[in-house]
Amino acid sequence: MLRIVDHLVGRGPLRICAHVPRADGPGDLTGLRVLLTADVLARVVELRGRAVLAGRTGPRVPEADALGIHPADAEGTVEEIADALGGPPAVHLTSRAYEGGGGAFVRIAQARAAGETAAEGGEALAVRLLLLDRPYHEPVAITADDVDGAGQRLARWRRAVADWAEEPSKPLRADLVRTARDGLEDSLDTAAVLRLLGELAGDQDVPAGAKFETFARLDRVLGLELTREIGKAPADGARA
């Protein structure tokens, strides 16, 4: 399991490389999951103040843009990526054993979609949420019902964040953010962050302004666009 230790937040940019496998038939989301894990790693390191340069080997994944995954800075072979990024990658993310030399190696488990999940358009970030809600090193299979449920969860959170934004500002929950950050820096534990946010949303003892600031801060890593409903009128049933 990956540990983001201090040497990953040293001087100069951190170079990472996502090794995207070819899809193993319809519904294979493994390549998407590799890119998503690389995206989360980059966001976590950037929050620690270090720039990240990302490379990608293997085929392109059209759904990546819809899931808010930042595009690679370089594509091609590892050697070509090293030339383009000004040095070899320090971290490799792949779904199979990495046989190249140098750098840390992070193995991503398989992800599959059972049936049509519509990983694009309005449902795309629901797929991102589902993949973030599972440890990256454990296999996962998602269904269309899972995507529908995740979409409803996102809608509730976004509406809640928009409502909280209208309340007086309060300091974020520093203890919760610290706990979330520790989990992210230890093992990219996005699932734990989502659980913490779910508990925070229902905590009646926490001021709305503090909930808003905490959700907004942690969404910088999650990339779920939790603030995008701010200033919009609630849709029918959005508060259900």
Side-chain angles (χ1 to χ4, degrees):
M1 218 181 285
L2 178 67
R3 294 183 62 86
I4 304 179
V5 293
D6 288 343
H7 75 266
L8 287 189
V9 288
R11 295 181 177 179
L14 174 68
R15 300 174 182 86
I16 66 176
C17 184
H19 299 266
V20 178
R22 294 197 176 278
D24 183 20
D28 186 1
L29 302 178
T30 307
L32 188 64
R33 196 181 198 189
V34 169
L35 290 172
L36 176 58
T37 307
D39 184 66
V40 171
L41 172 60
R43 290 169 183 257
V44 172
V45 172
E46 286 169 345
L47 281 181
R48 288 286 300 270
R50 188 176 186 186
V52 176
L53 296 174
R56 177 186 59 77
T57 70
R60 295 190 177 185
V61 181
E63 300 86 355
D65 288 343
L67 262 69
I69 295 171
H70 295 154
D73 299 294
E75 303 173 4
T77 66
V78 174
E79 291 75 16
E80 290 169 337
I81 289 170
D83 286 343
L85 300 185
V91 183
H92 297 268
L93 302 98
T94 175
S95 62
R96 53 178 60 91
Y98 176 62
E99 298 178 353
F105 159 58
V106 183
R107 188 162 186 170
I108 314 302
Q110 185 183 59
R112 299 199 69 86
E116 178 59 56
T117 61
E120 59 186 18
E123 295 184 344
L125 291 180
V127 175
R128 182 178 178 112
L129 171 59
L130 287 169
L131 293 177
L132 293 177
D133 207 17
R134 311 292 200 281
Y136 69 83
H137 49 83
E138 295 179 5
V140 62
I142 63 176
T143 67
D145 286 343
D146 293 331
V147 175
D148 288 342
Q152 294 171 21
R153 184 180 179 188
L154 281 176
R156 289 194 299 271
W157 278 3
R158 288 171 180 157
R159 191 64 250 160
V161 168
D163 290 343
W164 298 333
E166 298 177 359
E167 300 296 326
S169 180
K170 298 289 183 180
L172 54 74
R173 279 288 303 273
D175 58 332
L176 190 150
V177 171
R178 186 162 49 248
T179 298
R181 186 186 63 200
D182 289 345
L184 290 167
E185 293 183 357
D186 177 55
S187 56
L188 297 184
D189 195 352
T190 52
V193 175
L194 292 169
R195 289 194 299 272
L196 288 171
L197 290 181
E199 294 169 1
L200 178 64
D203 192 336
Q204 300 301 315
D205 294 328
V206 178
K211 291 181 180 181
F212 168 76
E213 295 293 347
T214 305
F215 267 69
R217 172 68 65 86
L218 293 178
D219 195 41
R220 293 172 64 184
V221 170
L222 298 175
L224 296 173
E225 299 183 4
L226 296 179
T227 62
R228 77 180 190 187
E229 295 301 314
I230 293 175
K232 298 180 181 179
D236 291 343
R239 299 177 188 272

